[in-house]
Amino acid sequence: MARRLAALTAAGLLALCLPAHAQTPPLPDHPALLRAINSIRLQGCGAGPARAPALREDPALTRAAMMISGGAKLEDALQAAGYRRMRAVKITVGGITGPAALTPRVLTTSCATVMAPNLVDAGFHQRGNQTWVVLAEPFVAPQASDGQQIEARILTLVNAARAQPRRCGDEAFPAVPPLRRHPRLSEVAAGHAADMARHNYFSHTARDGSTVDVRATRAGYRWRSIGENIAAGQMTADLAVQGWLNSPGHCASIMAPSFQETGAAFEVNPRSRSGVYWVQVFGAAR
């Protein structure tokens, strides 16, 4: 799943921004294969981190591995198995049977993949002397019931960034005063996040042609500066804000001294391309 960011300027100012498994018939688990690959993650494999958390076998990924063994593409197999993921990879080993197929010596070229710590689910299929393995990072979206806490977390992270000098690309910014939450800016952010999630698009321009300045005005926010950061695909507030800070334009929006108020929101739609959509609106009232 692609993780995306976009930032917008307005009024001439910087203004920027559980896996759903289908019902499947019971499948045999593969304890020996799971133990073999987890032994690699426990001891290291000569690439990536020295250790990684143990994987768990997921029936949907095992079903996907079975379909891949029959010629299906990874994306098609995951979709058919009902596994919504952030990232997924496949490994194919030929000429060896049983757990001996999953050893550091055999998986030399796949060591970095096996050791990726964000991969937590695994699926296996063996036929003859062929082994197919699918590893994945599941889609675990934030909960709507945690919306207020998540918005507060975004505000905390953004204000922590503003509290110290920062370089955004080639531009240096001094520390600036913290932003304060404004409920109408939160309303604007929530409306645009919901629209993007519901209609499966990613843009500062809404389907009705409006941009953040128009949406803020409609909400009754009388602004002298206005801006917006958006992101899609990140599963946590921390990842969304870090992505913005790593992007010069978004970072510049966060550090802009002209902004005094903000509101943030997210919306989840597991059936959409990105799954989760984030919006932060910045403003200064007249």
Side-chain angles (χ1 to χ4, degrees), residues 47-62:
R51 297 181 64 175
L55 298 163
R56 62 197 179 204
E57 183 172 4
D58 186 285
L61 289 186
T62 290

Side-chain angles (χ1 to χ4, degrees), residues 76-279:
D76 294 339
L78 291 170
Q79 184 173 359
Y83 187 95
R84 179 69 191 251
R85 85 291 180 276
M86 288 295 299
R87 178 191 175 200
V89 295
K90 67 175 181 178
I91 298 170
T92 304
V93 179
I96 305 175
T97 61
L102 303 180
T103 65
R105 182 181 61 82
V106 174
L107 295 174
T108 301
T109 59
S110 300
C111 272
T113 298
V114 170
M115 296 301 296
N118 59 313
L119 301 176
V120 299
D121 289 341
F124 309 92
H125 183 67
Q126 281 194 325
R127 185 173 65 241
N129 62 358
Q130 292 283 111
T131 302
W132 294 265
V133 180
V134 180
L135 306 177
E137 174 188 2
F139 176 86
V140 183
Q143 299 298 306
S145 58
D146 295 329
Q148 290 184 351
Q149 296 94 317
I150 290 172
E151 182 182 17
R153 177 63 177 167
I154 292 173
L155 182 59
T156 296
L157 293 170
V158 166
N159 280 338
R162 286 171 65 91
Q164 54 187 312
R166 184 172 301 273
R167 180 168 290 277
C168 301
D170 295 331
E171 190 172 3
F173 289 85
V176 288
L179 301 171
R180 58 183 178 270
R181 178 183 179 272
H182 194 289
R184 287 191 178 175
L185 294 183
S186 297
E187 175 187 334
V188 174
H192 191 48
D195 196 59
M196 287 192 293
R198 184 178 305 113
H199 298 286
N200 195 24
Y201 72 95
F202 182 71
S203 174
H204 287 288
T205 303
R207 293 177 309 119
D208 64 1
S210 66
T211 49
V212 64
D213 53 337
V214 174
R215 294 191 289 268
T217 299
R218 285 177 182 170
Y221 183 80
R222 294 174 56 82
W223 55 271
R224 55 185 171 84
S225 62
I226 196 75
E228 180 181 75
N229 278 355
I230 62 175
Q234 297 82 2
M235 292 295 104
T236 67
D238 290 56
L239 289 174
V241 173
Q242 191 58 56
W244 288 331
L245 289 173
N246 290 342
S247 167
H250 299 82
C251 174
S253 297
I254 288 173
M255 298 301 296
S258 57
F259 295 134
Q260 300 172 346
E261 299 170 325
T262 190
F266 69 92
E267 187 74 20
V268 176
N269 179 1
R271 294 180 298 278
S272 65
R273 178 182 175 187
S274 295
V276 185
Y277 297 80
W278 302 85
V279 180

Side-chain angles (χ1 to χ4, degrees), residues 13-53:
L13 295 171
L14 285 170
L16 302 196
C17 86
L18 294 166
H21 294 171
Q23 296 297 318
T24 58
L27 295 172
D29 58 11
H30 301 84
L33 297 178
L34 185 62
R35 284 195 298 270
I37 203 165
N38 278 335
S39 177
I40 296 173
R41 285 170 69 92
L42 177 65
Q43 300 174 20
C45 192
R51 297 181 64 175

